[in-house]
Amino acid sequence: MQLKPFTAALPNASGLTKLTTGDQTWSAEDEQTQSGDSYYWYEITKNGVHQWRLIASWPVDQTVSTMIPAEINTVLYATQPVIEMLIDDWVGHFPKAFEFTDPANVTHRLWQITDDDVNADITEAMTNVTPRKTWLTTTSTKLVMLVADRDWAKFKEPVTAPDHLIKFLSD
């Protein structure tokens, strides 16, 4: 996969309050720019079930395999134990960027991977991963969320990310 880290804007305190309450009146004052290009680990929890996703930059001239066309498309890939082991190792070393529970009682947690060497390792580990080509969309996007097949199957109905979870700022 042609993935890259990227610079993002994330919700600040007022933005998290809006995401928690479902308030759709979003403005630039509800977000803060993160320093440097990073990957982001994203955990969604509903009814005690967890799903992990990697948020990365994706070449805009590519369409992706996805269930639901959205600002951040979801790409499924075959479970690979080496990647899962690396995810377990990486996430524990970085503080959470934020955590909130939305009105649908879904908890969202996001970690920013700020170390250049770790980001390089993620890029290298994901390069040889082939996404599953099951659902196609013509939506081309700068951001993609990658989910292992097994993790995707944990929820009977897909759980989506809020519209203002993360905003792409890199060129």
Side-chain angles (χ1 to χ4, degrees):
M1 282 193 248
Q2 299 175 30
L3 302 176
K4 293 190 303 187
F6 62 98
T7 301
L10 300 180
N12 60 20
S14 68
L16 289 174
T17 299
K18 288 182 177 183
L19 291 173
T20 300
T21 62
D23 183 347
Q24 296 296 313
T25 60
W26 196 266
S27 70
E29 288 77 33
D30 296 320
E31 58 192 26
Q32 58 190 355
T33 299
Q34 303 305 294
S35 59
D37 289 346
S38 301
Y39 285 111
Y40 293 83
W41 289 120
Y42 177 38
E43 179 191 23
I44 301 173
T45 305
K46 183 173 183 178
N47 299 328
V49 178
H50 307 277
Q51 184 185 89
W52 288 95
R53 301 177 181 193
L54 170 66
I55 304 178
S57 174
W58 181 263
V60 293
D61 60 346
Q62 294 185 21
T63 55
V64 297
S65 301
T66 184
M67 292 281 284
I68 302 170
E71 183 177 332
I72 306 175
N73 282 294
T74 301
V75 173
L76 304 180
Y77 65 90
T79 302
Q80 301 197 12
V82 172
I83 293 170
E84 291 184 355
M85 179 186 69
L86 292 173
I87 289 170
D88 290 341
D89 288 346
W90 287 324
V91 172
H93 296 285
F94 298 93
K96 259 185 261 174
F98 61 74
E99 177 177 348
F100 69 94
T101 301
D102 67 21
N105 206 29
V106 176
T107 300
H108 306 266
R109 295 175 189 89
L110 193 75
W111 288 261
Q112 179 182 8
I113 309 305
T114 55
D115 185 279
D116 291 338
D117 290 337
V118 176
N119 282 320
D121 286 347
I122 294 171
T123 301
E124 183 179 343
M126 297 302 290
T127 297
N128 296 323
V129 174
T130 303
R132 269 190 40 207
K133 301 289 183 186
T134 306
W135 299 277
L136 287 179
T137 178
T138 56
T139 303
S140 189
T141 180
K142 293 179 179 179
L143 290 184
V144 68
M145 286 194 290
L146 295 110
V147 183
D149 290 343
R150 185 180 70 222
D151 274 347
W152 183 263
K154 288 179 178 179
F155 294 123
K156 292 181 180 168
E157 293 185 21
V159 177
T160 59
D163 289 339
H164 302 289
L165 178 83
I166 190 167
K167 180 178 173 184
F168 180 90
L169 296 178
S170 297
D171 284 343

